[in-house]
């Protein structure tokens, strides 16, 4: 993959060291998971449901707390009790399975809210940035619509644009196409592919193996809260080393 | 039968049943030897009784033949005075009257005791509602706060208020707090109603906030908004729409509950009704009219809220 622009290629943006997540009822959600994501990389996390993929992803911007280990994201250190999550979250965008657009705001307002309130951009600057991003995801004509008036695919593209409006260093995608009708999956993946080509650092939890194979720099396999193996896509899909990964791939491919 | 025709038929059935019920009530009232005197009621709604015009000194009254001129000449001396603006003359031509005697009445239309009571009910309800909404919003936010102290205090307030009767609270506010803080009866009434309704509003606000999907908070957090910003720009605007219908119901309750302040020295609509009953001895007519006046207030409010709901229900 092309690794250019936006960030200095090679700097480590996310460094997770032996993180552990134990729920109050004693169940271990994450076991000793270590992972690093360098600038410009596209890392795809796959695995069966309930394997902790989303949990791992959500620890990277503090939506999920951890009970052990350490995460460093773009210079911000996250321990069990983290201090300045807000500063961190401005640098880490997130795209959700259920889009989570703000239903009472128009598409344009969805994109402008955080840049104006958090980055303190002027309304005109935020507006200009938002319109450029809408053009990028192919939704220029929908700026005054409310989310409920858009299809699922369109909503998810707006959600991606909303994340981009904060100009984050990395974007986390939490199963971005799982809630979509099959015919809309393509348009969202196309936008994500475009982002990857432009050198955006991305962390993607998905069941789209085709996307993983085509776009990922590295693919990670998780099961039962553990990272079992990681590899370049060709080796990952072509010659899976781990036994459990082999059976998983047999089921999904 | 077409669906619309059958629907109208059922409406007609409802009206017929109501008519039967009304007729039964009428017949029942016939049997209990009660004389209906509806004609006594209007004067308590709109009073035409005006001010008195009194004699400024001792003297003789002079009324012109057409009854349109009224003047007085003093008993001693040559002082005379002309009266204007009266509608009925009480004294007769040539009467000897003394200072302070009523010799004429002016025509003045003013609100009768029932309307004055309605106005007080309206005033106390509106003022209490404003404070109840403020209090309810603050306490409701306290209920969902991350701070345990705020949560405890809010829960304590809600439990205490919802667990005791409003009438008892009114007595406590009027006799205890009112005495300690030197509150007027009106202020005490506003405080009691606002504190009572505030607890219910707080629960409505809490439920409205909790009904906003968790994903909204997460999405707002992940673009870096602060807790206060999330509440103000993302959660509350969405909660408002859910809060409005139950809030309308609570406001209507407030108007009805305000009838309890009549136990304090406040002449609200209910107290006015009681006073009119004691001077007319027509309790049936008076209480029906009072009920109708409450219905008028609550009806106007519920129409207004329905309008507001429509305007808020834009998208999503």
């Amino acid at each position: 993959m092309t690794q250019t622009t936006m960030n200095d290629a090679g700097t480590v943006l996310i460094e997770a060291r032996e993180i552990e997540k134990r729920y109050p009822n004693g169940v271990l959600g994450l076991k000793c998971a270590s992972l690093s994501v360098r600038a410009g990389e596209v890392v795809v996390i796959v695995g069966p449901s309930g394997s902790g993929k989303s949990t791992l992803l959500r620890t990277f911007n503090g939506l999920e707390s951890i009970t052990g280990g350490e995460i460093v994201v773009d210079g911000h250190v996250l321990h069990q009790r983290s201090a300045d999550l807000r500063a961190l979250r401005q640098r880490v965008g997130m795209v959700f399975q259920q889009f989570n657009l703000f239903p009472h705001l128009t598409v344009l307002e969805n994109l402008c809210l955080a840049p104006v309130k958090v980055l303190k951009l002027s309304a005109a600057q935020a507006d200009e940035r938002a319109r450029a991003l809408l053009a990028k995801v192919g939704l220029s004509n929908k700026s005054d619509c409310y989310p409920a008036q858009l299809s699922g695919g369109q909503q998810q593209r707006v959600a991606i644009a909303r994340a981009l409006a904060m100009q984050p260093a990395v974007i986390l995608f939490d199963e971005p196409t799982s809630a979509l009708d099959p015919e809309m999956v393509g348009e969202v993946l196309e936008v994500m592919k475009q982002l990857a080509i432009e050198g955006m650092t991305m962390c993607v939890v998905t069941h789209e193996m085709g996307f993983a194979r085509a776009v990922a720099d590295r693919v990670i396999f998780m099961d039962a809260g553990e990272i079992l193996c990681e590899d370049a896509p060709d080796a990952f899909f072509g010659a899976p080393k781990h036994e459990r990964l082999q059976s998983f791939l047999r089921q999904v491919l | 039968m077409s669906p619309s025709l059958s629907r109208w038929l059922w409406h007609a059935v409802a009206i017929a049943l109501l008519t039967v019920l009304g007729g039964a009530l009428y017949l029942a009232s016939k049997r209990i030897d009660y004389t209906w005197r509806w004609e006594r009621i209007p004067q308590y709604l709109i009073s035409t009784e005006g001010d008195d015009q009194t004699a400024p000194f001792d003297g003789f009254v002079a009324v012109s033949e057409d009854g349109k001129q009224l003047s007085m000449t003093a008993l001693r001396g040559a002082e005379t005075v002309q009266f204007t603006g009266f509608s009925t003359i009480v004294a007769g031509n040539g009467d000897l009257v003394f200072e302070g005697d009523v010799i004429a009445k002016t025509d003045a239309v003013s609100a009768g005791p029932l309307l004055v009571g309605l106005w007080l009910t309206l005033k106390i309800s509106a003022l209490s509602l404003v404070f109840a909404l403020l209090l309810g919003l603050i306490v409701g936010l306290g209920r969902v706060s991350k701070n345990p102290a705020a949560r405890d205090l809010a829960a304590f307030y809600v439990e205490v208020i919802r667990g005791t009767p409003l009438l008892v609270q009114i007595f406590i506010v009027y006799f205890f707090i009112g005495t300690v803080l030197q509150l007027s009866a009106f202020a005490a009434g506003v405080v009691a109603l606002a504190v009572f309704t505030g607890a219910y509003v707080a629960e409505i606000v809490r439920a409205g906030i909790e009904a906003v999907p968790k994903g909204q908070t997460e999405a707002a957090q992940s673009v870096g908004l602060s807790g206060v910003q999330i509440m103000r720009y993302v959660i509350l605007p969405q909660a408002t729409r859910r809060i409005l219908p139950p809030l309308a119901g609570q406001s209507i309750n407030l108007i009805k509950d305000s009838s309890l302040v009549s136990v304090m020295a406040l002449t609200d609509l209910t107290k006015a009704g009681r006073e009119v009953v004691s001077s007319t001895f027509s309790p049936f007519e008076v209480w029906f009219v009072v009920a109708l006046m409450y219905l008028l207030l609550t009806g106007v409010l519920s129409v207004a809220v329905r309008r507001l709901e429509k305007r808020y229900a834009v998208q999503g």
Side-chain angles (χ1 to χ4, degrees):
Chain A
M1 278 282 79
T2 29
Q3 291 187 0
T4 46
T5 64
M6 284 190 156
N7 306 295
D8 298 329
T11 1
V12 175
L13 274 183
I14 299 177
E15 177 80 63
R17 288 187 211 103
E18 302 182 343
I19 55 175
E20 180 203 80
K21 163 99 188 167
R22 190 182 288 276
Y23 290 102
N25 60 8
V27 174
L28 262 184
L30 290 175
K31 274 179 243 171
C32 204
S34 296
L35 174 70
S36 66
V37 179
R38 278 185 292 281
E41 250 190 332
V42 176
V43 174
V44 173
I45 306 171
V46 299
S49 13
S51 59
K53 318 180 289 284
S54 290
T55 311
L56 176 67
L57 193 74
R58 286 158 59 88
T59 59
F60 295 163
N61 68 347
L63 282 184
E64 207 77 59
S65 62
I66 53 174
T67 49
E70 190 184 70
I71 306 174
V72 185
V73 181
D74 196 32
H76 298 271
V77 185
L78 279 141
H79 299 282
Q80 283 102 312
R81 298 186 129 265
S82 299
D84 197 8
L85 276 176
R86 280 192 68 197
L88 164 83
R89 284 171 178 156
Q90 292 172 32
R91 304 289 298 146
V92 182
M94 182 139 194
V95 174
F96 298 86
Q97 182 177 352
Q98 299 295 341
F99 331 132
N100 294 347
L101 292 177
F102 306 131
H104 59 297
L105 302 178
T106 64
V107 165
L108 199 66
E109 289 165 344
N110 262 279
L111 265 62
C112 289
L113 180 64
V116 170
K117 301 298 173 196
V118 180
L119 300 181
K120 307 291 177 201
L121 293 191
S122 72
Q125 285 172 312
D127 196 84
E128 189 186 342
R129 186 186 281 191
R131 284 182 195 281
L133 286 169
L134 283 178
K136 189 185 170 84
V137 298
L139 292 171
S140 292
N141 54 339
K142 300 288 185 191
S143 58
D144 294 323
C145 290
Y146 285 91
Q149 296 169 313
L150 304 180
S151 73
Q154 290 171 332
Q155 289 192 48
Q156 194 60 296
R157 279 143 69 195
V158 172
I160 293 172
R162 179 176 67 179
L164 286 170
M166 292 297 288
Q167 301 188 327
V170 51
I171 300 186
L172 312 172
F173 292 83
D174 188 4
E175 305 206 25
T177 57
S178 297
L180 295 176
D181 291 337
E183 74 268 24
M184 294 169 185
V185 170
E187 60 189 77
V188 172
L189 291 182
E190 206 46 56
V191 169
M192 290 168 63
K193 232 175 249 178
Q194 191 56 41
L195 281 182
I197 290 169
E198 288 167 12
M200 189 66 187
T201 314
M202 292 158 65
C203 235
V204 186
V205 169
T206 186
H207 294 290
E208 295 293 328
M209 297 304 155
F211 175 83
R213 198 188 286 234
V215 181
D217 294 302
R218 272 184 302 144
V219 187
I220 283 160
F221 178 65
M222 279 188 80
D223 192 18
E226 273 180 294
I227 295 179
L228 289 185
C229 64
E230 59 170 281
D231 227 329
D234 286 346
F236 187 90
F237 292 103
K241 288 172 199 134
H242 205 282
E243 187 198 330
R244 238 181 300 169
L245 172 59
Q246 288 166 3
S247 71
F248 173 74
L249 288 177
R250 268 198 303 279
Q251 280 163 355
V252 296
L253 289 180
Chain B
M1 208 178 338
S2 77
S4 83
L5 186 64
S6 93
R7 200 178 67 217
W8 284 112
L9 203 67
W10 283 114
H11 284 311
V13 167
I15 290 168
L17 285 175
L18 283 175
T19 314
V20 169
L21 185 70
L25 278 175
Y26 176 74
L27 288 178
S29 72
K30 278 278 179 197
R31 295 182 50 152
I32 55 160
D33 191 27
Y34 182 84
T35 327
W36 294 83
R37 291 208 180 85
W38 285 104
E39 72 280 0
R40 284 189 184 171
I41 303 303
Q43 57 174 317
Y44 294 100
L45 287 170
I46 292 163
S47 150
T48 48
E49 208 166 280
D51 291 330
D52 297 335
Q53 290 198 351
T54 53
F57 43 74
D58 302 348
F60 292 102
V61 177
V63 184
S64 67
E65 266 178 44
D66 57 357
K68 282 179 183 155
Q69 308 278 330
L70 174 65
S71 58
M72 254 188 80
T73 321
L75 194 58
R76 290 179 198 85
E79 206 174 343
T80 57
V81 65
Q82 277 283 333
F83 292 91
T84 51
F86 54 89
S87 58
T88 42
I89 299 166
V90 179
N93 194 17
D95 283 1
L96 171 63
V97 293
F98 299 97
E99 188 180 338
D101 285 357
V102 177
I103 57 171
K105 285 182 184 289
T106 46
D107 209 3
V109 178
S110 59
L114 287 179
L115 274 189
V116 171
L118 181 74
W119 174 239
L120 185 91
T121 290
L122 191 66
K123 235 176 13 183
I124 206 167
S125 302
L127 210 57
S128 312
L129 184 62
V130 170
F131 287 118
L133 289 179
L134 272 174
L135 190 64
L137 181 64
I138 293 165
V139 176
L141 288 173
R143 290 277 274 169
V144 297
S145 161
K146 273 189 228 138
N147 184 320
R151 276 207 310 270
D152 290 349
L153 287 175
F156 176 76
Y157 162 69
V158 169
E159 288 309 317
V160 166
I161 296 300
R162 294 206 307 178
T164 50
L166 174 57
L167 189 56
V168 173
Q169 290 172 24
I170 286 176
F171 283 136
I172 292 176
V173 169
Y174 186 44
F175 290 118
F176 175 63
I177 301 175
T179 312
V180 172
L181 296 179
Q182 301 280 307
L183 292 181
S184 69
F186 183 80
V190 170
V191 168
L193 284 174
V195 167
F196 178 76
T197 307
Y200 289 86
V201 172
E203 284 302 274
I204 291 169
V205 168
R206 180 184 64 84
I209 289 172
E210 284 176 352
V212 177
K214 199 161 170 272
Q216 291 293 311
T217 308
E218 290 183 348
Q221 282 175 334
S222 66
V223 285
L225 292 170
S226 71
V228 174
Q229 287 173 329
I230 292 172
M231 202 35 97
R232 176 158 164 216
Y233 299 115
V234 177
I235 305 298
L236 281 182
Q238 295 185 58
T240 310
R241 216 171 306 156
R242 289 163 225 262
I243 285 172
L244 248 123
L247 214 51
Q250 198 54 52
S251 314
I252 286 168
N253 279 346
L254 171 61
I255 292 178
K256 293 184 292 177
D257 291 339
S258 77
S259 68
L260 287 176
V261 301
S262 62
V263 299
M264 307 193 280
L266 278 178
T267 312
D268 75 325
L269 183 49
T270 303
K271 182 84 183 298
R274 232 164 26 212
E275 285 170 2
V276 172
V277 166
S278 61
S279 57
T280 57
F281 301 109
S282 300
F284 292 7
E285 297 89 329
V286 172
W287 290 123
F288 278 129
V289 168
V290 167
L292 215 67
M293 289 166 84
Y294 274 113
L295 206 56
L296 197 77
L297 277 191
T298 54
V300 167
L301 185 64
S302 86
V303 168
V305 171
R306 213 164 306 152
R307 285 253 171 99
L308 208 62
E309 253 172 70
K310 259 190 204 140
R311 219 185 58 191
Y312 263 90
V314 247
Q315 292 299 327

